[in-house]
């Protein structure tokens, strides 16, 4: 009560005293306004400016742009309004803790309660590490459970209170315990009562039996004891105490070996073993006469007929896998010599069809009075299923679940071995290729993740078919692959092999009833660079791949040392990109759009450019995908729209009213999907004074087709606001023409890939002609993109294409250069 009273009178004093706590604290007054906080609070939310948040309500803080971009990543919904509404509701009526999951994939737990003065005290604790540890613990628990259930021994763990904590499936199988007893906390007395009622104990006095069992569980050293159940099964118990007071009970079925050890006569012993092991193969080796008996079940397990097997012990050993013979022989010798009390070994045995089965073989020697082994008998159990499950677990840990290819862990291990081999054999040169699919994000968003996965799998199969048997292709994640090219004599040979990968993608993929064309950017790093770690050569191959992306995609680039000057990864780009606007590193360049019929300027397309303070200009090909992936694209798009609209308003203010120009601005798929996209655009136009009719929003065909119903609604709202719509890269997407007339669009932009060789490629010319006629029939404007030669311009005029843009008229220009361009008032 004293602390709360102090907080009511002067909250800053208490907060200063709590600065050393590993928790963020802040205080809101009775009017809901933020009055004070500690440094840990600001450390948790670096996007908050102390000067800006003072005196603000939580609602005002949440709706600020930097906060909205980072915090509204709730796993339950991506809708900002709903997230804010739910957060404010918890704030107004504090109670249960609130979780915040921000765009940095960090989790913060917020606990709030009212103070005596009517204010509110808010505790903010970073629980990211705790959640990760909890996830790791869950994974370990699943692995432990799978391991326990794969064991042939029955396992049970009891705590100091003699209650059940852990058990495996084999325990239920051996003891045939009912389901209601298999729960955490079951007292050992209930298990004893069940077994007593079933007749598993010769002694019928409950207290005596229970005290004996508890005595074993409380031993301070390991103990082994045998026990015969009412079913006739003989179990060997091992009690192992643990340091924390728990005890592990391990039960092994030793029915066969115990029967053999009782010293029955040869014929009686054979019958007893056969009756006890109906599902196991039995064997009995007469060491004095070197003869072995193999039961019918033993032969059946290996697909052998009676006449296929003699009584020579070589029949058994000749079928053991060559890699296992030495290990099996060593363990048999150790048991027969008395070094090992039992023989128990897992090894592979050849089936009649040539395959190998995993067998668990147990045996026990029958000895004379002087300890000499006279006979050796035991059982053989088929454990192939369990072994395959274990091998599958190992395989899954080292392979990609979707494609079955090696994953990053296995790939790096293979490269590590290749480096070790290179140190021993200088001529064992190799290369590593890093490959990333171009525009995979568009396919994924347009056709859905299922078809995106199908494309990844199909691509993996093509890569495998294109490579040599000595090469290894791995999937690192997403659409990224890595390839180990071994036995490479020259760098040119690696280049030829990488070209085969490009050729494997030349033919289209058939997905979702559509033909999909895919290309890849590929970087290659060679082993002759003196690498010590596999991570280093993979990093350099990735850097070379980024160079291939920047140089136009669909090509291979070999790594050279100059690329290490700026070893930038997508993570580095994301960090810098988030500060690019505040550092004033973003620029807009403007490319003219020409009215071919009039030969005059019709408007500009605004293109986003990033001039990094250290790296210089960074290609949009490199940073736009990162911005879309991380959500930074929202802030960039708003900035680009506002800047372009303001610039066009200034240019048009100096022009006659009948010569107003239009400005075209690209809208990304993620921006288009936001419910508040249209209202944000309209608000921006009103803020700078540009008429909505002079703005043209460019949206890719793939983005429109990702969700036809949603796209139609969004386009209708844009048209209602008198904003024009242009379909960008028309002809390269995955749309159906049957939908085209339903979209309220104004313009089709023909992709430059069709324009570039239009004058020499008849098929491309026909595509351009068809799109132009389609636009005319639908009363749509058509813009030809990428016009670079007078011949292309002449052909477009002949086709009556109305608009064009490209290097023939001008490259994208800065605002100052575009202003000078306007003053020239050129004609074409």
């Amino acid at each position: 009560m004293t602390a709360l009273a102090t907080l009511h009178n002067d909250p800053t004093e208490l907060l200063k005293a709590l600065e050393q706590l590993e928790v963020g604290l802040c205080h809101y007054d009775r009017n809901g306004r933020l009055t004070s906080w500690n440094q840990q609070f600001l450390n948790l939310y670096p996007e908050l400016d102390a000067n800006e948040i003072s005196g603000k309500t939580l609602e005002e803080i949440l709706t600020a742009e930097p906060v909205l971009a980072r915090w509204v990543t709730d796993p339950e919904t991506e809708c900002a309004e709903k997230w804010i509404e739910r957060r404010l509701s918890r704030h107004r009526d504090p109670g249960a803790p609130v979780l915040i999951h921000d765009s940095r994939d960090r989790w913060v737990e917020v606990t709030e309660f009212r103070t005596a003065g009517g204010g509110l005290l808010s505790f903010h604790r970073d629980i990211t590490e705790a959640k990760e540890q909890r996830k790791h613990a869950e994974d370990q628990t699943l692995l432990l459970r799978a391991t326990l259930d794969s064991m042939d021994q029955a396992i049970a763990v009891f705590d100091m209170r003699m209650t059940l904590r852990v058990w495996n499936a084999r325990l239920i199988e051996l003891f045939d315990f009912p389901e209601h007893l298999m729960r955490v906390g079951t007292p050992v007395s209930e298990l004893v009562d069940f077994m007593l009622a079933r007749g598993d104990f010769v002694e019928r006095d409950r207290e005596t039996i229970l005290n004996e069992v508890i005595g074993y569980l409380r031993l301070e050293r390991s103990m082994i004891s045998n026990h015969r159940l009412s079913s006739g099964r003989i179990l060997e118990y091992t009690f192992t105490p643990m340091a924390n007071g728990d005890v592990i009970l391990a039960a092994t079925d030793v029915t066969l070996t115990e029967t053999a050890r009782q010293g029955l006569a040869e014929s009686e012993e054979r019958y007893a073993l056969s009756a006890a092991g109906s599902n196991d193969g039995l064997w009995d080796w007469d060491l004095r006469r070197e003869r072995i008996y193999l039961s019918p079940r033993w032969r059946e397990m290996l697909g052998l007929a009676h006449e296929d097997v003699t009584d020579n012990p070589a029949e058994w050993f000749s079928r053991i896998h060559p890699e296992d013979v030495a290990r099996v022989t060593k363990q048999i010798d150790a048991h027969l010599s008395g070094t090992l009390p039992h023989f128990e070994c897992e090894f592979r045995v050849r089936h009649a069809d040539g395959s190998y089965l995993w067998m668990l073989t147990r045996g026990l020697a029958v000895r004379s009075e002087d300890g000499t082994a006279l006979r050796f008998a035991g059982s053989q159990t088929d454990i192939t299923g369990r072994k395959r499950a274990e091998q599958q677990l190992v395989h899954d840990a080292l392979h990609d679940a979707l494609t079955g290819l090696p994953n990053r862990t296995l790939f790096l291990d293979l490269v590590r071995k290749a480096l070790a081999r290179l140190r021993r054999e200088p001529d064992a040169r190799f290369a590593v290729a890093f490959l990333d699919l171009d525009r995979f994000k568009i396919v994924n968003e347009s056709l859905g993740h299922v078809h995106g996965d199908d494309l990844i799998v199909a691509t993996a199969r093509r890569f495998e078919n294109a490579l040599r048997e000595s090469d290894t292709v791995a999937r690192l994640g997403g659409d990224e692959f890595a390839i180990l090219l071994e036995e490479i004599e020259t760098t040119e040979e690696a280049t030829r092999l990488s070209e085969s990968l490009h050729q494997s993608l030349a033919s289209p993929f058939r997905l979702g009833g559509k033909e999909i064309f895919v290309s890849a950017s590929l970087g290659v790093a060679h082993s002759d660079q003196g690498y010590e770690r596999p991570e280093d050569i993979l990093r350099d191959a990735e850097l070379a791949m980024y160079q291939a992306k920047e140089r136009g995609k669909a090509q291979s680039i070999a790594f050279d040392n100059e690329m290490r000057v700026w070893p930038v990864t997508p993570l580095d780009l994301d960090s810098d990109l988030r500060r690019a606007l505040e550092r004033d590193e973003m620029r807009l360049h403007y490319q003219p759009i020409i009215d071919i019929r009039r030969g005059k300027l019709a408007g500009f397309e605004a293109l986003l450019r990033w001039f990094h303070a250290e790296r210089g200009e960074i290609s949009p090909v490199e940073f736009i995908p990162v911005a879309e992936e991380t959500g930074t694209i929202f802030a960039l798009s708003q900035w680009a729209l506002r800047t372009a609209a303001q610039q066009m308003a200034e240019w048009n203010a100096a022009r006659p009213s009948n010569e107003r120009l239009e400005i075209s601005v690209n809208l990304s798929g993620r921006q288009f999907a936001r419910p508040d996209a249209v209202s944000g655009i309209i608000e921006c136009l009103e803020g700078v004074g540009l008429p909505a009719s002079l703005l043209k929003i460019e949206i890719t065909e793939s983005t429109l087709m990702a969700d036809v119903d949603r796209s139609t609604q969004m386009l209708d709202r844009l048209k209602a606001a008198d904003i024009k719509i242009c379909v960008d890269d028309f002809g390269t997407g995955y749309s159906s023409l049957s939908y085209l007339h339903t979209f309220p669009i104004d313009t089709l932009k023909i992709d430059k890939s069709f324009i570039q060789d239009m004058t020499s490629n008849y098929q491309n010319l026909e595509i351009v002609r068809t799109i132009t006629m389609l636009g005319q029939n639908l009363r749509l404007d058509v813009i030809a993109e990428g016009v670079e030669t007078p011949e292309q311009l002449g052909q477009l005029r002949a086709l009556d294409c109305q608009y064009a843009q490209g290097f023939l008229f001008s490259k994208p220009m800065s605002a100052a250069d575009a202003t000078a361009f306007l003053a020239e008032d050129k004609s074409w």
Side-chain angles (χ1 to χ4, degrees):
M1 291 302 294
T2 303
L4 291 178
T6 302
L7 176 63
H8 176 63
N9 296 326
D10 189 356
T12 58
E13 288 301 318
L14 179 57
L15 288 174
K16 287 179 181 178
L18 298 175
E19 283 288 355
Q20 300 304 315
L21 291 179
E22 294 296 326
V23 65
L25 299 174
C26 66
H27 173 259
Y28 296 87
D29 63 18
R30 62 190 307 163
N31 296 318
R33 299 195 174 276
L34 187 63
T35 63
S36 51
W37 53 87
N38 67 354
Q39 185 58 43
Q40 286 295 334
F41 176 77
L42 296 179
N43 292 344
L44 284 175
Y45 309 113
E47 61 272 11
L48 297 181
D49 187 330
N51 295 324
E52 294 292 331
I53 61 176
S54 180
K56 296 288 184 65
T57 65
L58 179 59
E59 181 174 6
E60 292 170 336
I61 294 173
L62 288 179
T63 53
E65 185 173 305
V67 176
L68 191 63
R70 285 188 182 276
W71 291 10
V72 184
T73 56
D74 194 310
E76 299 176 6
T77 175
E78 288 292 337
C79 176
E81 291 83 354
K82 290 184 178 179
W83 186 92
I84 292 174
E85 180 182 344
R86 185 167 59 256
R87 176 68 185 94
L88 292 177
S89 175
R90 295 281 185 89
H91 183 67
R92 289 189 294 268
D93 186 18
V98 178
L99 292 182
I100 295 178
H101 179 218
D102 66 21
S103 62
R104 291 164 300 218
D105 201 23
R106 186 177 62 185
W107 292 85
V108 177
E109 181 184 73
V110 181
T111 305
E112 298 176 325
F113 62 85
R114 294 290 178 187
T115 65
L120 186 140
L121 187 61
S122 185
F123 292 78
H124 298 248
R125 185 167 62 94
D126 190 334
I127 61 169
T128 306
E129 183 176 352
K131 288 181 72 68
E132 292 175 350
Q133 290 175 349
R134 189 179 306 118
K135 177 63 168 60
H136 177 71
E138 291 172 354
D139 293 342
Q140 292 298 311
T141 300
L142 289 175
L143 179 60
L144 175 61
R145 170 52 56 191
T147 303
L148 287 175
D149 285 342
S150 69
M151 296 176 64
D152 191 59
Q153 284 184 311
I155 300 293
V157 179
F158 295 91
D159 60 18
M160 297 178 65
R161 297 174 299 172
M162 296 295 109
T163 62
L164 186 64
R165 291 192 60 197
V166 179
W167 64 93
N168 67 351
R170 184 65 169 157
L171 181 81
I172 302 174
E173 178 185 350
L174 284 185
F175 288 89
D176 195 21
F177 282 136
E179 184 177 346
H180 72 272
L181 290 179
M182 293 295 97
R183 67 181 190 278
V184 175
T186 296
V188 70
S189 58
E190 291 188 18
L191 300 177
V192 170
D193 288 342
F194 173 79
M195 296 177 67
L196 184 63
R198 192 170 58 184
D200 287 339
F201 298 103
V202 176
E203 172 66 51
R204 304 299 297 176
D205 181 64
R206 178 181 183 276
E207 293 303 318
T208 301
I209 295 172
L210 184 59
N211 289 336
E212 182 179 352
V213 172
I214 292 176
Y216 280 124
L217 293 177
R218 286 181 173 167
L219 288 174
E220 296 182 356
R221 56 183 177 84
S222 296
M223 176 71 182
I224 299 176
S225 177
N226 284 7
H227 176 216
R228 182 188 295 272
L229 301 179
S230 60
S231 63
R233 192 190 300 261
I234 301 175
L235 301 181
E236 179 182 84
Y237 299 137
T238 302
F239 301 90
T240 304
M242 300 176 66
N244 66 348
D246 292 353
V247 62
I248 301 175
L249 165 65
T252 305
D253 187 345
V254 295
T255 306
L256 298 178
T257 54
E258 283 300 308
T259 303
R261 192 160 44 179
Q262 291 170 2
L264 298 175
E266 181 178 347
S267 59
E268 295 174 334
E269 186 178 9
R270 212 173 269 167
Y271 283 118
L273 289 170
S274 299
S278 59
N279 197 43
D280 289 348
L282 306 178
W283 50 271
D284 185 359
W285 185 358
D286 186 335
L287 299 172
R288 292 168 295 183
R289 293 185 292 173
E290 278 299 306
R291 287 177 152 183
I292 192 166
Y293 166 77
L294 302 171
S295 73
R297 175 58 182 154
W298 192 99
R299 296 193 297 270
E300 179 187 347
M301 294 169 74
L302 297 175
L304 300 171
H306 179 76
E307 59 272 14
D308 294 334
V309 184
T310 69
D311 61 358
N312 190 325
E315 290 283 0
W316 180 17
F317 286 93
S318 66
R319 297 183 179 279
I320 297 176
H321 194 286
E323 295 178 2
D324 298 339
V325 171
R327 178 168 53 85
V328 174
T329 303
K330 183 178 180 180
Q331 292 195 37
I332 289 177
D333 291 344
H335 173 59
L336 295 181
S337 66
T339 305
L340 289 177
H342 300 86
F343 169 72
E344 183 171 331
C345 188
E346 296 179 357
F347 53 90
R348 291 162 288 180
V349 183
R350 188 177 70 254
H351 191 273
D353 63 8
S355 64
Y356 281 90
L357 302 179
W358 276 96
M359 297 293 178
L360 168 62
T361 299
R362 299 186 180 97
L364 190 68
V366 177
R367 303 180 185 274
S368 62
E369 291 183 1
D370 63 359
T372 302
L374 304 176
R375 296 175 58 216
F376 186 26
S379 65
Q380 174 177 278
T381 305
D382 188 341
I383 59 170
T384 306
R386 173 167 65 83
K387 279 292 185 179
R388 286 175 179 167
E390 293 172 356
Q391 292 167 355
Q392 187 65 44
L393 285 174
V394 175
H395 179 276
D396 292 346
L398 298 174
H399 290 77
D400 172 51
L402 179 62
T403 63
L405 295 176
N407 60 15
R408 181 184 291 269
T409 301
L410 179 55
F411 183 78
L412 288 174
D413 186 60
L414 294 174
V415 176
R416 184 178 293 106
K417 292 176 180 176
L419 286 171
R421 187 166 53 252
L422 181 64
R423 286 189 283 270
R424 297 191 306 269
E425 306 170 25
D427 291 336
R429 291 187 290 272
F430 66 93
V432 169
F434 192 105
L435 187 149
D436 182 272
L437 300 184
D438 299 326
R439 303 180 69 190
F440 173 73
K441 183 178 178 64
I442 294 177
V443 178
N444 222 24
E445 291 181 349
S446 301
L447 297 184
H449 294 293
V450 172
H451 290 309
D453 288 347
D454 292 341
L455 177 59
I456 290 294
V457 173
T459 302
R461 300 291 84 84
R462 289 197 185 182
F463 288 162
E464 288 179 313
N465 294 332
L467 295 171
R468 305 166 303 173
E469 290 187 3
S470 60
D471 302 325
T472 302
V473 57
R475 183 184 180 215
L476 304 183
D479 60 332
E480 294 179 342
F481 295 85
I483 299 157
L484 174 60
L485 303 169
E486 299 200 73
E487 301 174 10
I488 298 294
E489 296 184 2
T490 63
T491 57
E492 290 75 15
E493 184 179 0
T495 302
R496 288 196 302 273
L497 289 171
S498 65
E499 286 303 319
S500 68
L501 296 170
H502 289 297
Q503 293 171 9
S504 71
L505 300 177
S507 57
F509 294 86
R510 191 75 181 174
L511 298 174
K514 304 178 186 297
E515 283 192 344
I516 308 300
F517 288 88
V518 174
S519 62
S521 298
L522 190 147
V524 181
H526 298 274
S527 61
D528 55 8
Q529 295 285 328
Y531 294 103
E532 294 292 333
R533 304 189 316 143
E535 293 85 357
D536 295 337
I537 189 170
L538 182 62
R539 174 206 62 204
D540 287 352
E542 184 178 9
L543 289 174
M545 183 276 294
Y546 288 138
Q547 289 291 320
K549 288 277 191 188
E550 290 189 359
R551 297 181 189 180
K553 304 180 182 179
Q555 58 181 296
S556 300
I557 299 292
F559 174 80
D560 61 56
N561 288 326
E562 292 182 0
M563 295 180 187
R564 287 203 184 115
V565 175
W566 299 113
V568 178
T569 67
L571 183 60
D572 299 321
L573 279 180
D574 179 33
S575 298
D576 287 351
L577 195 56
R578 293 179 184 277
R579 292 188 285 271
L581 286 176
E582 65 185 60
R583 291 174 176 173
D584 196 27
E585 294 178 347
M586 286 297 173
R587 299 286 186 274
L588 281 186
H589 280 190
Y590 301 87
Q591 186 169 36
I593 299 175
I594 308 302
D595 185 335
I596 299 177
R597 296 172 184 171
R598 297 190 304 114
K600 301 296 289 183
L601 180 67
F604 289 96
E605 179 182 2
L607 300 169
L608 190 60
R609 296 291 184 265
W610 182 11
F611 292 88
H612 193 281
E614 296 174 339
R615 294 183 63 211
E617 183 174 0
I618 299 178
S619 169
V621 172
E622 189 174 354
F623 74 81
I624 290 296
V626 175
E628 289 190 334
E629 188 70 25
T630 61
T632 318
I633 193 67
F634 302 142
L636 293 179
S637 296
Q638 283 297 101
W639 178 86
L641 176 63
R642 184 170 58 254
T643 304
Q646 185 172 5
Q647 181 63 72
M648 183 52 70
E650 293 177 5
W651 281 334
N652 280 333
R655 297 176 65 84
S657 58
N658 62 343
E659 295 183 13
R660 299 291 171 84
L661 303 176
E662 293 181 347
I663 185 69
S664 296
V665 180
N666 291 281
L667 198 66
S668 73
R670 290 197 65 177
Q671 185 77 0
F672 184 66
R674 286 176 64 104
D676 60 349
V678 177
S679 59
I681 293 172
I682 296 173
E683 182 180 345
C684 176
L685 292 176
E686 293 174 348
V688 300
L690 181 71
S693 60
L694 297 180
L695 173 65
K696 183 175 288 183
I697 296 296
E698 295 196 6
I699 307 170
T700 64
E701 190 176 7
S702 303
T703 297
L704 292 177
M705 294 308 301
D707 187 332
V708 172
D709 293 336
R710 185 194 65 197
S711 296
T712 302
Q713 295 174 5
M714 294 292 286
L715 295 181
D716 285 340
R717 293 177 62 192
L718 288 170
K719 290 297 294 181
D722 205 19
I723 297 171
K724 296 180 180 178
I725 300 123
C726 172
V727 179
D728 196 10
D729 297 340
F730 187 76
T732 63
Y734 315 99
S735 73
S736 168
L737 292 178
S738 62
Y739 283 105
L740 189 59
H741 72 280
T742 67
F743 290 139
I745 60 178
D746 302 280
T747 306
L748 302 177
K749 179 176 280 191
I750 306 175
D751 187 72
K752 63 182 178 182
S753 61
F754 300 121
I755 304 298
Q756 287 173 347
D757 59 351
M758 176 181 64
T759 57
S760 59
N761 186 320
Y762 176 76
Q763 289 182 336
N764 278 7
L765 175 61
E766 286 305 306
I767 290 174
V768 175
R769 185 195 311 276
T770 300
I771 295 175
T772 302
M773 293 177 61
L774 176 66
Q776 292 169 352
N777 292 335
L778 296 177
R779 292 184 174 84
L780 303 176
D781 294 334
V782 178
I783 302 176
E785 187 178 33
V787 180
E788 298 181 356
T789 67
E791 290 78 14
Q792 293 169 350
L793 178 59
Q795 190 69 68
L796 291 170
R797 278 198 168 110
L799 295 176
D800 196 25
C801 180
Q802 187 172 357
Y803 297 97
Q805 70 181 101
F807 287 0
L808 176 63
F809 312 107
S810 173
K811 294 182 178 181
M813 303 171 283
S814 66
D817 291 339
T819 301
F821 181 86
L822 282 169
E824 294 179 16
D825 194 21
K826 293 183 178 180
S827 296
W828 291 270

